[in-house]
Amino acid sequence: MPRELSQDQWIRSAVLQFEAPLTLYAARILGDLDRARDVVQETFLRLCRQNHSEVSPHLLEWLYSVCRNRALDLLRRQRTRRTSLLAPTVACRIAPPAKLIEDRDLAARIIGMLDTLPDNQRAVITLKFQNGLSYKQISRQTGLSVSNVGFLIHTALKTLRRALEVPQ
């Protein structure tokens, strides 16, 4: 039977596991990596004030929810326009250079097109494909029903396919 982690060990484990994905998530919302790091730092500071036993069963959703809300608060306060942050594309070692350039261009187009989606569609798409959350986890994080999450993802993908002229 595994022994229970101390509060300090629990926080350290959470930081090691979730700092990088939360930073990417916040950077996507804010369009600024430095501000994203600040938001993630504040998210973990808030975690330090939480009761381990209350948050632990839904830690992932709690972290994403706090991070998202903090980033949106920051955007509202500063009233700045969000800019796209192009994440580097991961390439296969055997792909020819022309394919890498084509893939990078397509990724840049898709990221640019995400900015044209309504906020709720952009949020669920980011949580699903950038952060790998399930519909149920997205539902808990956003407060939307699972079926609404599915509908928003379907609608967003349909819009992106149409804009990219990709056959269904």
Side-chain angles (χ1 to χ4, degrees):
M1 182 176 271
R3 67 179 182 88
E4 179 115 1
L5 295 175
S6 70
Q7 180 80 1
D8 186 51
Q9 292 169 323
W10 178 65
I11 297 293
R12 287 176 195 267
S13 174
V15 169
L16 286 172
Q17 188 174 2
F18 299 113
E19 181 180 27
L22 283 171
T23 301
L24 286 173
Y25 178 59
R28 182 71 190 109
I29 293 171
L30 297 167
D32 182 315
L33 189 57
D34 289 329
R35 290 191 312 161
R37 288 181 179 136
D38 291 342
V39 165
V40 171
Q41 182 178 13
E42 185 171 328
T43 300
F44 284 112
L45 287 173
R46 289 182 184 193
L47 181 63
C48 291
R49 295 188 295 262
Q50 297 300 310
N51 184 326
H52 172 192
S53 61
E54 290 177 12
V55 175
S56 192
H58 56 274
L59 177 62
L60 179 71
E61 293 87 358
W62 188 93
L63 287 170
Y64 275 97
S65 182
V66 171
C67 183
R68 177 179 178 268
N69 290 340
R70 180 64 190 115
L72 292 176
D73 288 346
L74 192 60
L75 280 178
R76 277 188 217 105
R77 246 196 343 241
Q78 296 184 352
R79 298 200 186 274
T80 59
R81 297 209 33 105
R82 194 170 60 82
T83 58
S84 294
L85 178 67
L86 294 177
T89 57
V90 177
C92 179
R93 289 185 213 171
I94 59 173
K99 176 71 172 139
L100 294 176
I101 291 169
E102 182 181 316
D103 289 350
R104 192 167 294 148
D105 289 345
L106 178 60
R109 281 182 59 206
I110 291 170
I111 289 171
M113 293 167 78
L114 285 175
D115 291 337
T116 66
L117 294 174
D119 289 342
N120 59 354
Q121 290 180 17
R122 184 174 46 247
V124 296
I125 287 288
T126 301
L127 289 169
K128 177 67 180 161
F129 295 104
Q130 181 179 340
N131 302 105
L133 271 61
S134 69
Y135 284 22
K136 191 173 186 177
Q137 290 170 321
I138 295 169
S139 170
R140 281 186 257 164
Q141 198 270 320
T142 61
L144 301 169
S145 69
V146 173
S147 60
N148 196 358
V149 168
F151 172 78
L152 290 171
I153 289 173
H154 171 77
T155 304
L157 290 175
K158 191 173 175 182
T159 301
L160 292 172
R161 280 189 199 110
R162 192 176 318 119
L164 288 169
E165 299 173 1
V166 175
Q168 303 242 2

PDB file of all heavy atoms in Angstrom, residues 124-139:
ATOM      1  N   VAL A 124     -12.143  24.715 -25.963  1.00  0.00           N
ATOM      2  CA  VAL A 124     -12.271  23.252 -25.917  1.00  0.00           C
ATOM      3  C   VAL A 124     -11.305  22.572 -26.889  1.00  0.00           C
ATOM      4  O   VAL A 124     -10.767  21.506 -26.589  1.00  0.00           O
ATOM      5  CB  VAL A 124     -13.728  22.773 -26.139  1.00  0.00           C
ATOM      6  CG1 VAL A 124     -14.631  23.249 -25.022  1.00  0.00           C
ATOM      7  CG2 VAL A 124     -14.269  23.160 -27.493  1.00  0.00           C
ATOM      8  N   ILE A 125     -11.059  23.189 -28.036  1.00  0.00           N
ATOM      9  CA  ILE A 125     -10.094  22.628 -28.993  1.00  0.00           C
ATOM     10  C   ILE A 125      -8.695  22.620 -28.376  1.00  0.00           C
ATOM     11  O   ILE A 125      -7.962  21.636 -28.478  1.00  0.00           O
ATOM     12  CB  ILE A 125     -10.103  23.429 -30.324  1.00  0.00           C
ATOM     13  CG1 ILE A 125     -11.365  23.129 -31.136  1.00  0.00           C
ATOM     14  CG2 ILE A 125      -8.853  23.174 -31.147  1.00  0.00           C
ATOM     15  CD1 ILE A 125     -11.410  21.762 -31.773  1.00  0.00           C
ATOM     16  N   THR A 126      -8.331  23.695 -27.723  1.00  0.00           N
ATOM     17  CA  THR A 126      -7.013  23.780 -27.089  1.00  0.00           C
ATOM     18  C   THR A 126      -6.879  22.740 -25.977  1.00  0.00           C
ATOM     19  O   THR A 126      -5.867  22.045 -25.890  1.00  0.00           O
ATOM     20  CB  THR A 126      -6.778  25.192 -26.520  1.00  0.00           C
ATOM     21  OG1 THR A 126      -6.874  26.132 -27.589  1.00  0.00           O
ATOM     22  CG2 THR A 126      -5.420  25.315 -25.866  1.00  0.00           C
ATOM     23  N   LEU A 127      -7.903  22.623 -25.152  1.00  0.00           N
ATOM     24  CA  LEU A 127      -7.846  21.649 -24.063  1.00  0.00           C
ATOM     25  C   LEU A 127      -7.770  20.219 -24.599  1.00  0.00           C
ATOM     26  O   LEU A 127      -7.059  19.381 -24.048  1.00  0.00           O
ATOM     27  CB  LEU A 127      -9.060  21.803 -23.151  1.00  0.00           C
ATOM     28  CG  LEU A 127      -9.081  23.055 -22.284  1.00  0.00           C
ATOM     29  CD1 LEU A 127     -10.438  23.234 -21.623  1.00  0.00           C
ATOM     30  CD2 LEU A 127      -7.982  23.010 -21.246  1.00  0.00           C
ATOM     31  N   LYS A 128      -8.477  19.949 -25.677  1.00  0.00           N
ATOM     32  CA  LYS A 128      -8.498  18.602 -26.241  1.00  0.00           C
ATOM     33  C   LYS A 128      -7.194  18.253 -26.947  1.00  0.00           C
ATOM     34  O   LYS A 128      -6.582  17.224 -26.680  1.00  0.00           O
ATOM     35  CB  LYS A 128      -9.689  18.464 -27.215  1.00  0.00           C
ATOM     36  CG  LYS A 128      -9.757  17.125 -27.924  1.00  0.00           C
ATOM     37  CD  LYS A 128     -10.048  16.010 -26.956  1.00  0.00           C
ATOM     38  CE  LYS A 128     -10.120  14.677 -27.668  1.00  0.00           C
ATOM     39  NZ  LYS A 128      -9.944  13.577 -26.741  1.00  0.00           N
ATOM     40  N   PHE A 129      -6.755  19.097 -27.864  1.00  0.00           N
ATOM     41  CA  PHE A 129      -5.648  18.718 -28.730  1.00  0.00           C
ATOM     42  C   PHE A 129      -4.280  19.204 -28.253  1.00  0.00           C
ATOM     43  O   PHE A 129      -3.277  18.568 -28.532  1.00  0.00           O
ATOM     44  CB  PHE A 129      -5.923  19.185 -30.161  1.00  0.00           C
ATOM     45  CG  PHE A 129      -7.106  18.479 -30.756  1.00  0.00           C
ATOM     46  CD1 PHE A 129      -8.321  19.119 -30.868  1.00  0.00           C
ATOM     47  CD2 PHE A 129      -7.009  17.163 -31.162  1.00  0.00           C
ATOM     48  CE1 PHE A 129      -9.424  18.464 -31.393  1.00  0.00           C
ATOM     49  CE2 PHE A 129      -8.100  16.496 -31.677  1.00  0.00           C
ATOM     50  CZ  PHE A 129      -9.319  17.145 -31.799  1.00  0.00           C
ATOM     51  N   GLN A 130      -4.219  20.286 -27.547  1.00  0.00           N
ATOM     52  CA  GLN A 130      -2.920  20.742 -27.041  1.00  0.00           C
ATOM     53  C   GLN A 130      -2.620  20.096 -25.703  1.00  0.00           C
ATOM     54  O   GLN A 130      -1.492  19.731 -25.424  1.00  0.00           O
ATOM     55  CB  GLN A 130      -2.891  22.260 -26.894  1.00  0.00           C
ATOM     56  CG  GLN A 130      -1.546  22.782 -26.393  1.00  0.00           C
ATOM     57  CD  GLN A 130      -1.519  24.291 -26.280  1.00  0.00           C
ATOM     58  OE1 GLN A 130      -2.319  24.987 -26.879  1.00  0.00           O
ATOM     59  NE2 GLN A 130      -0.596  24.796 -25.488  1.00  0.00           N
ATOM     60  N   ASN A 131      -3.648  19.929 -24.885  1.00  0.00           N
ATOM     61  CA  ASN A 131      -3.433  19.430 -23.536  1.00  0.00           C
ATOM     62  C   ASN A 131      -3.880  17.989 -23.336  1.00  0.00           C
ATOM     63  O   ASN A 131      -3.657  17.425 -22.280  1.00  0.00           O
ATOM     64  CB  ASN A 131      -4.131  20.344 -22.534  1.00  0.00           C
ATOM     65  CG  ASN A 131      -3.619  21.763 -22.649  1.00  0.00           C
ATOM     66  OD1 ASN A 131      -4.299  22.626 -23.183  1.00  0.00           O
ATOM     67  ND2 ASN A 131      -2.401  21.992 -22.212  1.00  0.00           N
ATOM     68  N   GLY A 132      -4.551  17.412 -24.324  1.00  0.00           N
ATOM     69  CA  GLY A 132      -4.903  15.998 -24.269  1.00  0.00           C
ATOM     70  C   GLY A 132      -5.961  15.634 -23.248  1.00  0.00           C
ATOM     71  O   GLY A 132      -6.014  14.491 -22.799  1.00  0.00           O
ATOM     72  N   LEU A 133      -6.819  16.564 -22.874  1.00  0.00           N
ATOM     73  CA  LEU A 133      -7.861  16.270 -21.907  1.00  0.00           C
ATOM     74  C   LEU A 133      -9.009  15.519 -22.577  1.00  0.00           C
ATOM     75  O   LEU A 133      -9.280  15.704 -23.764  1.00  0.00           O
ATOM     76  CB  LEU A 133      -8.397  17.562 -21.278  1.00  0.00           C
ATOM     77  CG  LEU A 133      -7.688  18.080 -20.032  1.00  0.00           C
ATOM     78  CD1 LEU A 133      -6.248  18.402 -20.294  1.00  0.00           C
ATOM     79  CD2 LEU A 133      -8.406  19.279 -19.478  1.00  0.00           C
ATOM     80  N   SER A 134      -9.686  14.686 -21.812  1.00  0.00           N
ATOM     81  CA  SER A 134     -10.868  13.981 -22.302  1.00  0.00           C
ATOM     82  C   SER A 134     -12.063  14.934 -22.278  1.00  0.00           C
ATOM     83  O   SER A 134     -12.021  15.992 -21.642  1.00  0.00           O
ATOM     84  CB  SER A 134     -11.168  12.772 -21.408  1.00  0.00           C
ATOM     85  OG  SER A 134     -11.610  13.211 -20.126  1.00  0.00           O
ATOM     86  N   TYR A 135     -13.137  14.542 -22.962  1.00  0.00           N
ATOM     87  CA  TYR A 135     -14.352  15.366 -22.955  1.00  0.00           C
ATOM     88  C   TYR A 135     -14.841  15.581 -21.520  1.00  0.00           C
ATOM     89  O   TYR A 135     -15.264  16.675 -21.161  1.00  0.00           O
ATOM     90  CB  TYR A 135     -15.468  14.707 -23.771  1.00  0.00           C
ATOM     91  CG  TYR A 135     -15.320  14.800 -25.264  1.00  0.00           C
ATOM     92  CD1 TYR A 135     -14.095  15.011 -25.887  1.00  0.00           C
ATOM     93  CD2 TYR A 135     -16.424  14.672 -26.082  1.00  0.00           C
ATOM     94  CE1 TYR A 135     -13.971  15.097 -27.252  1.00  0.00           C
ATOM     95  CE2 TYR A 135     -16.323  14.751 -27.464  1.00  0.00           C
ATOM     96  CZ  TYR A 135     -15.097  14.951 -28.041  1.00  0.00           C
ATOM     97  OH  TYR A 135     -14.995  15.032 -29.398  1.00  0.00           O
ATOM     98  N   LYS A 136     -14.761  14.530 -20.709  1.00  0.00           N
ATOM     99  CA  LYS A 136     -15.220  14.617 -19.325  1.00  0.00           C
ATOM    100  C   LYS A 136     -14.363  15.609 -18.528  1.00  0.00           C
ATOM    101  O   LYS A 136     -14.884  16.418 -17.762  1.00  0.00           O
ATOM    102  CB  LYS A 136     -15.176  13.236 -18.677  1.00  0.00           C
ATOM    103  CG  LYS A 136     -15.856  13.148 -17.346  1.00  0.00           C
ATOM    104  CD  LYS A 136     -15.893  11.713 -16.874  1.00  0.00           C
ATOM    105  CE  LYS A 136     -16.701  11.580 -15.610  1.00  0.00           C
ATOM    106  NZ  LYS A 136     -16.807  10.182 -15.184  1.00  0.00           N
ATOM    107  N   GLN A 137     -13.047  15.560 -18.719  1.00  0.00           N
ATOM    108  CA  GLN A 137     -12.157  16.486 -18.029  1.00  0.00           C
ATOM    109  C   GLN A 137     -12.395  17.923 -18.496  1.00  0.00           C
ATOM    110  O   GLN A 137     -12.396  18.852 -17.697  1.00  0.00           O
ATOM    111  CB  GLN A 137     -10.696  16.102 -18.263  1.00  0.00           C
ATOM    112  CG  GLN A 137     -10.294  14.826 -17.560  1.00  0.00           C
ATOM    113  CD  GLN A 137      -8.930  14.331 -17.997  1.00  0.00           C
ATOM    114  OE1 GLN A 137      -8.567  14.409 -19.164  1.00  0.00           O
ATOM    115  NE2 GLN A 137      -8.172  13.805 -17.044  1.00  0.00           N
ATOM    116  N   ILE A 138     -12.611  18.088 -19.811  1.00  0.00           N
ATOM    117  CA  ILE A 138     -12.906  19.420 -20.345  1.00  0.00           C
ATOM    118  C   ILE A 138     -14.216  19.923 -19.761  1.00  0.00           C
ATOM    119  O   ILE A 138     -14.343  21.094 -19.392  1.00  0.00           O
ATOM    120  CB  ILE A 138     -12.968  19.400 -21.888  1.00  0.00           C
ATOM    121  CG1 ILE A 138     -11.585  19.056 -22.468  1.00  0.00           C
ATOM    122  CG2 ILE A 138     -13.451  20.738 -22.435  1.00  0.00           C
ATOM    123  CD1 ILE A 138     -11.599  18.760 -23.955  1.00  0.00           C
ATOM    124  N   SER A 139     -15.191  19.038 -19.649  1.00  0.00           N
ATOM    125  CA  SER A 139     -16.488  19.397 -19.084  1.00  0.00           C
ATOM    126  C   SER A 139     -16.336  19.907 -17.657  1.00  0.00           C
ATOM    127  O   SER A 139     -16.886  20.950 -17.296  1.00  0.00           O
ATOM    128  CB  SER A 139     -17.403  18.169 -19.105  1.00  0.00           C
ATOM    129  OG  SER A 139     -18.569  18.399 -18.370  1.00  0.00           O
TER     130      SER A 139
END
